Amino acid sequence: MSDERETIEEGEAGAAAGATAGSLAEAALDGLRRAAAGVETERELAEALQRSLVARHLPELPGLRAAVGYEAGGDEGEVGGDWFDVIPLRDGRVGLVIGDVVGHGIRAAARATQLQSALRAYALDGVRPSRVLEHMNGFVRELEHGGMATVIYVVVAAESGALDIASAGHPPPILIHPAGEVSYVESLAGPPLGVVQAPGYDDSVTAVVPGTAVVLYSDGLIEGPDVPLDSGLERLVATLGSVPVDPEHLCQELIASASSNGQPRDDVAVLIARLDPEIDLDEPFRLSLPAEPGSLALMRRSVSRWLRRAGAGEAEAYEALVACGEAAANAIAHAYPASEASFELTVSLEAGTMVVVVRDFGRWREPRPGVQGRGLLLMRELMDEVEIDAGKAGTTVTMSRRLARTGEGR
Amino acid sequence: MRGRLAQLTVESEGQVLVARLEGEIDSSNADEIRLELTEQVPNTADALVLDLTATSYMDSSGVQLLFELAARLRTRRQSLRLVVPDNAPMGKVLELCDVASVVPIHPELEAAIASLND
């Protein structure tokens, strides 16, 4: 029996040639069973796709803390086409994305995965948000049954607080200011993706202060409650009572309040990115980053911010930055290959002296003359003191440099 | 407003190529920039002037790039000059690594180009 079924499954030609009436009935029944299972499989597949869209592990972002929340909506609990993304760009800025493909189910979820990948690729090219959306519109128009989607793309420069925003028919971002007040960002929204041949999108540029949170969301969040989103959010922030806001906590609360009257009608997706509050020089400043060269620019953004806060002059800030870069590059070179290794950097101000500690968890290797030898030379020459402690569990580099002038009356 | 860490623009002034390097060089992009530079300098060019005026960061991986570029151009019998303004923060890094021993450094582009005609 099992042999016969295999034959049938191999193809119609085999079935016609060798099957008896009994085994044909068996095959028809089998087909029905598979079709029934298919409904379940399709839902599972759609859910798996949706999970891959919204359950992305968020990267470490110096200068910025981000959190995301998602809740499937609809009576059937059917997944929709919401997606979000957090994209560290090569120049140290961070791209934030929320998009919403019109429709539900496996098609919308599959289309959302395509749009997520495409936007990521365009974003990594480093072009302005308006250009990214123009490329995206072309991409959607090229697809067969491209459909329609709204999306908002925000590039955040955590260092300066500059936000560069472009929107394709998506609701505007909300800002939660450090003291807790809430406002919309006035931004120009162009048409949704896929609607017109060659829409022109605009960049809206705005600047925010340290500690400000940027909230992106899908319209599921607005359709639910009867209160306008900004006042609802302001009240929520006030009840949480923690300012500047904690992104993870606020995301959970927002999702919870959206589904408080049962399941939301539409999917709800929220992305909150909060710029780090002003650096406190009384506390050590800590960073933990993946041990890969791409982390170096992110490390420099954070350490520059610290140096500026500490009142360092241009030349000494540059030189301290190079020393940190060399120590970090060594830590990255020592990392065990093919592991999810990380390194840590701590900067503190002790009586007018900058103290940097860089730790890795790999093994110290004597630098080869040339590249690495030069790195070590630069560390020693640019800092007052450098100590290297190479242990079995990892290497710790401790460097210090007296700053010529330090801020805050120190 | 590019998302890339560094941006290279190459223009020719007669037989001299002028490459402007804008942004930051570290070990994440030094190899890529070196490749881009050597690809953009044809064998027929007499000389390359690398303008680092707009280079906001460079560490030992950038210095290594300069040494490798100098060696490469030397085998092709092409001259190399660097432009680094007098007060540039990277000056000390270049000095400590003795970059001037392999490439003449000028504070201004005009002076660098003029030095090739001497």
Side-chain angles (χ1 to χ4, degrees):
Chain A
M1 198 65 190
S2 64
D3 285 347
E4 270 175 10
R5 190 174 301 170
E6 267 176 36
T7 316
I8 290 164
E9 280 178 0
E10 265 169 32
E12 282 172 20
T20 63
S23 67
L24 274 175
E26 184 76 24
L29 205 63
D30 196 42
L32 273 175
R33 268 192 226 107
R34 271 184 287 159
V39 174
E40 205 46 50
T41 310
E42 180 164 329
R43 173 173 301 174
E44 279 168 17
L45 190 57
E47 281 170 7
L49 270 175
Q50 182 64 41
R51 270 198 302 278
S52 76
L53 281 167
V54 295
R56 185 181 284 277
H57 171 70
L58 294 185
E60 179 96 20
L61 307 162
L64 205 65
R65 243 177 79 193
V68 288
Y70 175 77
E71 175 81 29
D75 299 333
E76 317 277 285
E78 199 181 24
V79 300
D82 285 1
W83 90 90
F84 44 61
D85 211 351
V86 174
I87 310 165
L89 301 175
R90 290 170 44 149
D91 62 0
R93 295 185 302 158
V94 176
L96 309 173
V97 183
I98 273 203
D100 186 354
V101 172
V102 173
H104 285 95
I106 192 162
R107 271 177 216 288
R111 180 51 39 88
T113 58
Q114 288 177 312
L115 298 194
Q116 184 185 48
S117 304
L119 199 147
R120 194 161 246 270
Y122 294 133
L124 288 171
D125 242 5
V127 295
R128 310 179 66 94
S130 57
R131 287 293 294 151
V132 169
L133 295 195
E134 281 158 23
H135 287 314
M136 285 298 289
N137 189 72
F139 180 80
V140 171
R141 303 272 302 181
E142 288 291 318
L143 290 171
E144 204 176 335
H145 310 302
M148 194 171 98
T150 67
V151 64
I152 186 158
Y153 179 44
V154 180
V155 173
V156 183
E159 208 177 347
S160 64
L163 307 180
D164 192 346
I165 305 161
S167 169
H170 203 85
I174 291 178
L175 299 180
I176 304 173
H177 301 276
E181 66 279 33
V182 172
S183 66
Y184 280 101
V185 181
E186 297 291 329
S187 64
L188 299 161
L193 301 178
V195 177
V196 270
Q197 182 71 46
Y201 290 106
D202 291 301
D203 289 283
S204 305
V205 179
T206 188
V208 296
V209 297
T212 305
V214 184
V215 183
L216 304 184
Y217 50 93
S218 63
D219 58 5
L221 200 63
I222 321 174
E223 284 172 358
D226 296 327
V227 282
L229 188 54
D230 55 344
S231 54
L233 196 58
E234 196 158 55
R235 208 159 39 221
L236 187 60
V237 170
T239 41
L240 296 181
S242 58
V243 286
V245 297
D246 175 61
E248 288 82 14
H249 191 191
L250 187 57
C251 263
Q252 286 166 9
E253 292 295 325
L254 263 176
I255 294 295
S257 72
S259 39
S260 58
N261 307 321
Q263 205 157 28
R265 289 214 318 274
D266 199 355
D267 324 21
V268 180
V270 185
L271 191 170
I272 301 178
R274 192 209 60 205
L275 277 73
D276 285 350
E278 199 67 82
I279 287 172
D280 180 1
L281 292 174
D282 290 329
E283 296 288 323
F285 179 79
R286 286 201 174 83
L287 272 179
S288 172
L289 292 169
E292 57 191 37
S295 295
L296 291 169
L298 298 173
M299 183 277 294
R300 289 198 299 276
R301 302 292 169 264
S302 295
V303 177
S304 304
R305 246 184 104 219
W306 186 94
L307 282 160
R308 225 184 358 261
R309 180 76 178 150
E314 192 193 5
E316 64 182 350
Y318 186 92
E319 290 165 20
L321 214 52
V322 170
C324 290
E326 300 297 349
N330 273 337
I332 291 166
H334 298 156
Y336 289 111
S339 71
E340 290 197 6
S342 62
F343 70 96
E344 288 174 6
L345 183 141
T346 308
V347 189
S348 48
L349 190 61
E350 293 170 16
T353 295
M354 175 195 197
V355 180
V356 183
V357 180
V358 180
R359 286 183 62 201
D360 66 58
F361 308 98
R363 284 188 55 190
W364 174 259
R365 282 178 293 225
E366 268 315 303
R368 285 178 289 121
V371 202
Q372 285 173 320
R374 242 177 246 129
L376 203 56
L377 168 105
L378 287 176
M379 280 155 61
R380 293 200 191 282
E381 292 291 333
L382 297 175
M383 300 298 274
D384 299 337
E385 278 174 49
V386 177
E387 250 178 64
I388 295 166
D389 178 15
K392 279 205 185 89
T395 302
T396 303
V397 176
T398 308
M399 315 182 282
S400 61
R401 172 168 172 153
R402 180 150 191 89
L403 298 179
R405 54 194 173 90
T406 50
E408 303 267 291
R410 277 155 208 272
Chain B
M1 287 285 268
R2 303 256 325 171
R4 288 165 61 108
L5 213 48
Q7 180 68 27
L8 192 69
T9 17
V10 182
E11 282 167 16
S12 62
E13 303 237 346
Q15 284 299 96
V16 177
L17 282 181
V18 177
R20 245 174 68 87
L21 188 54
E22 198 182 336
E24 303 163 87
I25 308 293
D26 64 21
S27 59
S28 75
N29 66 346
D31 283 347
E32 192 182 318
I33 295 287
R34 184 176 43 95
L35 220 65
E36 217 178 316
L37 261 171
T38 36
E39 267 172 15
Q40 295 212 26
V41 181
N43 284 318
T44 49
D46 288 341
L48 172 69
V49 177
L50 182 57
D51 187 347
L52 301 179
T53 308
T55 310
S56 55
Y57 177 87
M58 176 180 283
D59 57 21
S60 63
S61 57
V63 170
Q64 179 67 16
L65 176 159
L66 297 178
F67 276 94
E68 285 173 13
L69 184 68
R72 170 84 189 236
L73 294 191
R74 201 161 40 238
T75 60
R76 292 208 228 156
R77 298 179 188 286
Q78 293 170 314
S79 308
L80 177 65
R81 298 286 185 273
L82 293 185
V83 179
V84 181
D86 279 334
N87 55 353
M90 77 162 66
K92 185 149 184 195
V93 169
L94 299 184
E95 187 191 316
L96 288 168
C97 296
D98 206 9
V99 172
S101 68
V102 293
V103 195
I105 303 176
H106 298 269
E108 277 159 11
L109 180 61
E110 293 71 26
I113 294 174
S115 75
L116 290 164
N117 300 324
D118 286 349

